[in-house]
Amino acid sequence: MEWANSILQGVLVGGLYALFAAGLSLIFGVMRLVNIAHGDLIVLAAYLALVATQTLGVGPMTSLLLIAPLMAAIGYALQRFLLNQTLGGDLLPPLLVTFGLSVIIQNGLLEIFTANSRKLQAGDIEVATWAISDKLSIGALPALQFAVAVAVIGGLQWLFYRTAMGRAFRATSDDPQTAQLVGLDNRHVFALAMALSLAIVAIAGVFLAVRANFDPAIGPARLIFGFEAVIIGGLGNLWGTLAGGVILGVAQAIGAKIDPGWQLLAGHIAFLAVLAVRPEGFFPRVKH
Amino acid sequence: MPDAPLLEISRLDAFYGDFQALFSVSLDIAPGEIFAIVGANGAGKSTLLKSIAGQMPAPTESILFDGEKIGGRPAFSIVRQGVALVPEGRRLFPSLSVEENLLIGAQGGRKGEWNLRRVQELFPVLAERARQPSASLSGGQQQMVAIARALMSNPKLLLCDEISLGLSPLVVRDIYAVLPAIAAGGVAIAIVEQDVARALAASRRVVCLREGRVVLAGLSHDVTRAEVAAAYFGV
């Protein structure tokens, strides 16, 4: 029963990893951009939420009403004025620029907020649990986190396949040149995709910051979790990304159960095992 | 001249790096007319269409459309102005269904008589196959999607690049049969075509390009096969 509990907690943490991964997967899918600063942007969102909760006196979840649009605006501007200039054929320029961005964000946060670790206080919800049996219980916060992850992925799926914006994303991803012929301005479409990605980053950042301590240096590790979830799930498949996050979360939970020091290692080993056995991931995008 | 020209190209040059593909090309297209551009492979026909549609750099004043200088504008802005290109090789979006490929044609937001219902009336098979992936259609049906997608933008000028390429003669005939109906609604059509007889039969006026220059221009029913052959091959 203790094992069942560990696995259950792992599944719920997987929701957070899926949130890390969804934004990454989205922008890679639309514009083949690998955003090395993704993890640091999650941490940036966490700090912005910290500032919002402290200055406005609102809870972390409420702060999202401000932080998500703010991060989306940052994403739009970032793509429109910086990253669009790096796109076009070669994969290296966007990698280098976002790597630079990662360094800038980390050091900027260090300068402003120091290296002290912080945490967002969410109040009663942090300790609320539902006991399923003596040994099995679900925390309200992890449950909420997982439900939000499912809602975000479901929302993205709906947006991609049911709306004009999603149609524009898919068309631009298919053939950016021809997309211009039908009146789509790629620079704007890419900027919208980044805005959406960073709105999800804001959600991920707030959950990260409520769940555990954070400091300016933890971004790159979140990036790795995000990447691993994307690859395990299969590139270009949103529900696969959720599954990838869950597999990663469960692997870490099992590792931690065996030995607390093995938590991260177990996650990485699970990722490498998937990469070795099924390099296209469990649910690659269906080819037409 | 009965009408002021819809499109006026004057002394247009085009380059691929150091290679010059068009040399001082001038022509004009009237509203609602069907205009043919013929020439051998590499004569510059596609380059000319790409320059008009904004897929190639062009000097601002060399292309005048509907009274505005559109040379060198980005493609997405030119389609909103009313010039739609049916690209060579059709270039449908593979991850979009047939209907989605049509709907995305209206992305530019121009108002006009063309909409999903109208293009499906023009090509009824596109309504039957609406939910299918665009890649599952036959070549001819894909070509219909490409033309219908361009019409969805409500153009004043429709540029058709090699719409008969790789299609059976019967299908080509069907596709060419709808062009007069499109033009009757006031849409000017420029067709780039390798099949000279087909192009002459379908058009009111024709130009022949050779090595990036206009070598023949005239009314399609006035030019003789011998004249076209001479212009085409430069003999």
Side-chain angles (χ1 to χ4, degrees):
Chain A
M1 213 52 184
E2 271 183 57
W3 280 94
N5 195 43
S6 289
I7 289 170
L8 180 63
Q9 306 314 325
V11 169
L12 297 180
V13 172
L16 183 63
Y17 295 161
L19 283 176
F20 293 164
L24 267 181
S25 175
L26 170 73
I27 55 169
F28 182 81
V30 174
M31 52 218 175
R32 305 289 177 273
L33 182 117
V34 176
N35 182 7
I36 300 292
H38 192 76
D40 303 291
L41 287 162
I42 293 172
V43 178
L44 173 67
Y47 276 103
L48 289 176
L50 180 72
V51 172
T53 53
Q54 284 175 347
T55 54
L56 304 175
V58 295
M61 300 305 156
T62 318
S63 80
L64 270 177
L65 295 176
L66 180 68
I67 304 304
L70 178 62
M71 287 301 289
I74 291 173
Y76 189 94
L78 190 64
Q79 185 66 38
R80 190 89 203 218
F81 299 113
L82 180 67
L83 297 177
N84 272 343
Q85 272 69 12
T86 70
L87 292 176
D90 199 356
L91 207 62
L92 198 57
L95 272 180
L96 291 177
V97 170
T98 54
F99 182 69
L101 202 61
S102 153
V103 175
I104 292 169
I105 294 171
Q106 278 182 49
N107 285 281
L109 291 175
L110 196 60
E111 194 66 37
I112 300 168
F113 296 101
T114 77
N116 292 343
S117 53
R118 307 291 182 92
K119 190 175 172 305
L120 286 184
Q121 305 299 334
D124 295 340
I125 190 174
E126 284 189 47
V127 288
T129 56
W130 298 296
I132 294 172
S133 69
D134 314 344
K135 297 261 171 63
L136 206 59
S137 61
I138 295 180
L141 193 64
L144 177 65
Q145 177 182 290
F146 191 81
V148 167
V150 172
V152 164
I153 302 266
L156 278 179
Q157 187 81 18
W158 173 81
L159 184 128
F160 257 74
Y161 293 96
R162 293 280 178 275
T163 70
M165 193 200 253
R167 203 156 62 212
F169 282 155
R170 283 182 290 138
T172 310
S173 166
D174 278 351
D175 186 343
Q177 259 207 322
T178 306
Q180 303 231 19
L181 281 183
V182 299
L184 290 167
D185 180 355
N186 291 355
R187 297 168 304 179
H188 177 64
V189 173
F190 290 165
L192 285 178
M194 187 56 93
L196 191 59
S197 169
L198 291 208
I200 300 166
V201 154
I203 299 171
V206 165
F207 276 106
L208 171 78
V210 169
R211 185 170 167 269
N213 290 340
F214 62 98
D215 64 64
I218 66 163
R222 307 315 113 176
L223 173 72
I224 298 291
F225 294 160
F227 270 142
E228 289 181 346
V230 172
I231 301 292
I232 293 172
L235 271 175
N237 182 328
L238 289 162
W239 290 115
T241 298
L242 181 66
V246 167
I247 290 169
L248 187 63
V250 169
Q252 288 186 357
I254 291 173
K257 185 79 193 144
I258 296 167
D259 182 314
W262 287 7
Q263 182 184 0
L264 295 183
L265 184 66
H268 297 324
I269 288 172
F271 162 68
L272 288 174
V274 171
L275 204 56
V277 178
R278 231 186 125 81
E280 71 276 30
F282 283 115
F283 311 98
R285 178 158 68 176
V286 188
K287 297 224 166 47
H288 293 303
Chain B
M1 289 294 284
D3 289 310
L6 176 67
L7 177 80
E8 207 174 348
I9 296 176
S10 40
R11 295 194 300 282
L12 173 68
D13 296 326
F15 299 86
Y16 292 99
D18 286 338
F19 173 75
Q20 186 163 1
L22 293 179
F23 295 86
S24 195
V25 169
S26 298
L27 56 84
D28 57 79
I29 298 178
E33 92 170 318
I34 301 184
F35 190 95
I37 300 163
V38 298
N41 261 336
K45 307 182 300 291
S46 291
T47 305
L48 176 58
L49 292 197
K50 284 181 176 172
S51 301
I52 302 169
Q55 287 195 319
M56 291 276 296
T60 318
E61 63 288 343
S62 60
I63 304 173
L64 202 67
F65 177 76
D66 214 9
E68 284 204 52
K69 294 171 187 157
I70 62 161
R73 283 203 201 167
F76 64 83
S77 138
I78 288 178
V79 68
R80 290 173 196 176
Q81 203 76 33
V83 180
L85 172 65
V86 181
E88 187 178 351
R90 308 183 277 267
R91 305 293 287 265
L92 302 185
F93 300 110
S95 63
L96 272 58
S97 71
V98 170
E99 186 176 287
E100 285 179 318
N101 264 287
L102 299 178
L103 288 172
I104 205 157
Q107 194 78 32
R110 277 177 64 85
K111 297 277 173 286
E113 59 168 326
W114 291 103
N115 53 39
L116 188 61
R117 193 178 51 77
R118 282 287 316 275
V119 297
Q120 287 177 340
E121 280 169 11
L122 190 67
F123 299 114
V125 68
L126 302 190
E128 293 160 28
R129 305 288 168 95
R131 305 280 163 208
Q132 291 188 15
S134 52
S136 71
L137 299 187
S138 71
Q141 291 165 344
Q142 288 191 20
Q143 191 63 69
M144 292 173 194
V145 176
I147 294 171
R149 179 179 67 184
L151 283 176
M152 289 288 285
S153 73
N154 276 302
K156 289 180 181 166
L157 173 61
L158 183 69
L159 309 171
C160 300
D161 198 353
E162 306 266 11
I163 49 174
S164 63
L165 205 68
L167 303 181
S168 76
L170 225 59
V171 173
V172 173
R173 200 190 60 196
D174 286 350
I175 287 177
Y176 266 88
V178 304
L179 295 186
I182 296 169
V187 181
I189 306 175
I191 48 173
V192 155
E193 183 56 72
Q194 297 219 354
D195 180 345
V196 175
R198 168 89 52 202
L200 290 178
S203 62
R204 191 178 80 87
R205 287 193 302 149
V206 62
V207 297
C208 181
L209 294 182
R210 191 177 73 240
E211 289 166 0
R213 294 178 173 83
V214 175
V215 287
L216 175 75
L219 290 169
S220 302
H221 64 79
D222 281 356
V223 298
T224 63
R225 285 192 76 93
E227 281 175 325
V228 175
Y232 202 96
F233 298 110
V235 288

